[in-house]
Amino acid sequence: MSDSGKNILVVGGGVIGLSIAYSLSKSGHHVRVMERDPSLTDSCSSGNAGMIVPSHFIPLAAPGVISQGLKWMLNPKSPFFLRPRLDPALARWIWLFMRHSNQQHVQNSAELLRDLSLLSRRLHLELAEQENFPLVDKGLLMLCQSQKGLDEEAEVAESAHRLGLEAEVINLTRLYELEPNAKINAKGGVWFPQDCHLDPSDFIQALRRGIKKAGGEFIDAEAENLDDSTIVTKTGEKHTADTIVLAGGIATLNLARDLGLKLPMQGGKGYSLTLPKPLRNPELCSLLKEGRVAVTPMGDQLRVAGTMEICGKDTSISKPRLQGIIESFCSFYPEFRPADFDNLTPWVGLRPCSPDGLPYLGKAPGHEKIIIATGHAMMGLSLAPVTGHLVTQLVNNKSTSLDLSALDPARFG
Ligand SMILES: Cc1cc2nc3c(=O)[nH]c(=O)nc-3n(C[C@H](O)[C@H](O)[C@H](O)COP(=O)(O)OP(=O)(O)OC[C@H]3O[C@@H](n4cnc5c(N)ncnc54)[C@H](O)[C@@H]3O)c2cc1C
């Protein structure tokens, strides 16, 4: 069979699976996307903060994260929690996370994350133009209320410059030049002009339209097990393919097990709340340093998101942590009141988190025809187009635009 026109089955219709299917369809392959929940209610993709973030070149596993995390564990409203439980997979994940939380790992990963993000940003812009949906290319504000926060972020800006990325440390005057639309209670911050934002629903709809236009198909079914060329669904149907791509987010764990692969991955639970008609809407998206909260204007709506709870597959909602997000947002944006959030239904999503903060992207060990694409943690939306691009190069047996060895799904054995 030639490299184009292959028959490909993608398991998972979240932002990663859809971006892969979109890129493969455009490359001339016949693609089917298998999704067990077409409403994406249980996915991590629909309610996220919609940020495209070249500024995120520091992986989740970094120095200081563990000590900060331990302090936060004591506060029920804090943005981080790890639910202790007797689970060998969790113990292994924590051990690997601790091993990678060092400066050397940050240095080793920064250039790769930069290159992945910049290519993905370019592909996001092209896609928004081709598929005609709104993407705001005005940057991201990292807002700080404390001097300590400001000093830390100024250091990040320095590192960004060393990597050739744009970052500007800003005082309040500059802040209001950039963001004339909202009152902000902060000492200052950093503006990352290359970051962008969008509404993930627009992105998802555009990808689906593009896949259908290119002749792709959608199968509403749950993949239960697989071998090298066949997926068997929960209802017993068999679907064969030349290549199978596993992009099921946190649930990829279950299918990877069929391949004898123990992917270390934990669900990183986060919440978002969307104000349907805020009185005022900021122009730029922002991250609130001290509360680790993400704020994103989406058309007339405003989304506020946060928390990282390492919690297995538990999707229950912690009211104190939700309250922590709201209080933090209102303290930075004083025109808003906690009561504005009364009666809103919170959204919850499980980020697929690897222990080194890097995605899993590559062929499954010993299974040439199976590709794994998951583990994007906090950057799945941002890195979705580049993931699609790289998977397409793998399927087409082309050399990849970037060296993928650090993303090898078998890197932890
Ligand atoms: C609060 C919050 C805010 C975030 N903000 C951002 C942000 O601003 N920018 C950013 O880049 N990232 C952000 N993220 C992270 C981002 O949302 C995730 O990285 C991304 O959605 C992961 O996408 P995915 O397609 O891998 O997984 P998912 O979205 O979980 O999709 C996987 C899909 O696979 C399906 N599936 C699984 N197993 C099977 C099976 N066996 N058969 C059939 N279907 C199956 C599932 O039903 C699901 O729909 C945020 C996350 C959270 C929680």
Side-chain angles (χ1 to χ4, degrees):
M1 157 123 3
S2 76
D3 285 342
S4 65
K6 284 185 185 168
N7 195 345
I8 320 270
L9 188 51
V10 178
V11 179
V15 286
I16 297 296
L18 290 175
S19 298
I20 293 167
Y22 180 87
S23 175
L24 285 166
S25 320
K26 291 270 168 182
S27 178
H29 298 288
H30 180 249
V31 184
R32 286 162 296 156
V33 180
M34 184 176 287
E35 170 55 58
R36 63 186 176 187
D37 169 28
S39 71
L40 294 189
T41 313
D42 290 334
S43 83
C44 192
S45 290
S46 56
N48 65 47
M51 295 175 176
I52 298 160
V53 280
S55 59
H56 282 34
F57 53 85
I58 300 176
L60 195 56
V65 170
I66 291 169
S67 55
Q68 178 64 70
L70 287 172
K71 280 184 216 151
W72 272 332
M73 290 274 289
L74 303 171
N75 176 358
K77 287 187 180 174
S78 78
F80 177 80
F81 185 64
L82 188 149
R83 176 155 308 146
R85 52 190 197 281
L86 283 174
D87 173 359
L90 175 64
R92 180 172 179 237
W93 189 92
I94 294 173
W95 181 72
L96 289 166
F97 186 88
M98 288 170 77
R99 265 190 41 196
H100 287 89
S101 296
N102 60 60
Q103 200 51 44
Q104 191 58 51
H105 174 61
V106 171
Q107 261 172 26
N108 293 346
S109 311
E111 287 185 10
L112 174 62
L113 287 174
R114 173 201 61 193
D115 294 345
L116 285 166
S117 289
L118 288 179
L119 181 49
S120 211
R121 171 193 145 80
R122 205 192 78 206
L123 296 168
H124 262 296
L125 292 170
E126 283 172 14
L127 186 104
E129 193 167 328
Q130 275 164 21
E131 300 298 335
N132 195 23
F133 67 92
L135 181 155
V136 182
D137 183 14
K138 290 186 176 174
L140 172 147
L141 294 169
M142 172 63 81
L143 300 173
C144 306
Q145 286 182 330
S146 66
Q147 190 57 46
K148 181 172 174 283
L150 207 48
D151 293 344
E152 282 172 10
E153 288 307 318
E155 268 181 46
V156 175
E158 271 301 305
S159 306
H161 295 154
R162 282 196 292 274
L163 286 166
L165 292 166
E166 293 172 38
E168 180 185 335
V169 178
I170 53 171
N171 60 19
L172 285 184
T173 313
R174 180 75 174 124
L175 173 57
Y176 283 118
E177 272 170 27
L178 293 165
E179 179 52 275
N181 271 6
K183 270 197 190 139
I184 295 176
N185 177 22
K187 263 191 181 339
V190 178
W191 176 47
F192 293 98
Q194 289 160 302
D195 289 8
C196 311
H197 71 266
L198 49 69
D199 182 336
S201 310
D202 291 339
F203 180 56
I204 288 167
Q205 293 313 326
L207 290 170
R208 283 185 178 154
R209 276 197 309 273
I211 294 165
K212 280 191 188 149
K213 237 190 291 166
E217 291 173 55
F218 289 86
I219 305 170
D220 300 347
E222 177 161 359
E224 193 159 63
N225 39 57
L226 78 157
D227 63 27
D228 277 345
S229 57
T230 310
I231 292 265
V232 183
T233 67
K234 208 169 178 181
T235 52
E237 282 168 37
K238 286 186 179 175
H239 296 267
T240 54
D242 300 315
T243 301
I244 294 173
V245 184
L246 301 183
I250 187 66
T252 308
L253 282 176
N254 309 336
L255 292 170
R257 239 175 256 135
D258 275 8
L259 306 172
L261 183 61
K262 281 191 195 161
L263 276 187
M265 199 156 64
Q266 288 290 318
K269 184 163 58 175
Y271 311 113
S272 73
L273 288 155
T274 307
L275 289 165
K277 278 218 172 298
L279 284 178
R280 291 238 271 166
N281 221 353
E283 235 174 83
L284 271 64
C285 62
S286 63
L287 288 173
L288 315 182
K289 167 79 176 168
E290 286 77 10
R292 304 297 195 270
V293 167
V295 180
T296 315
M298 293 180 183
D300 290 340
Q301 306 186 332
L302 181 62
R303 182 164 295 166
V304 181
T307 84
M308 172 66 91
E309 292 175 56
I310 303 298
C311 59
K313 291 177 190 157
D314 167 34
T315 51
S316 64
I317 289 171
S318 154
K319 283 197 177 148
R321 256 171 251 287
L322 209 53
Q323 197 56 30
I325 296 176
I326 295 169
E327 286 172 12
S328 184
F329 168 69
C330 294
S331 95
F332 275 84
Y333 288 85
E335 290 166 301
F336 291 84
R337 299 277 167 270
D340 298 341
F341 292 84
D342 288 353
N343 308 319
L344 292 184
T345 307
W347 171 85
V348 58
L350 292 179
R351 304 172 183 92
C353 296
S354 67
D356 59 0
L358 298 176
Y360 295 113
L361 179 48
K363 292 191 176 167
H367 301 272
E368 267 298 294
K369 294 176 174 176
I370 299 184
I371 293 173
I372 293 181
T374 186
H376 296 73
M378 298 150 68
M379 292 182 273
L381 176 110
S382 192
L383 298 182
V386 74
T387 303
H389 175 77
L390 293 164
V391 168
T392 301
Q393 289 178 325
L394 288 176
V395 169
N396 289 344
N397 290 318
K398 295 249 168 67
S399 57
T400 49
S401 316
L402 301 168
D403 177 7
L404 301 186
S405 46
L407 311 183
D408 185 353
R411 63 187 180 272
F412 300 114

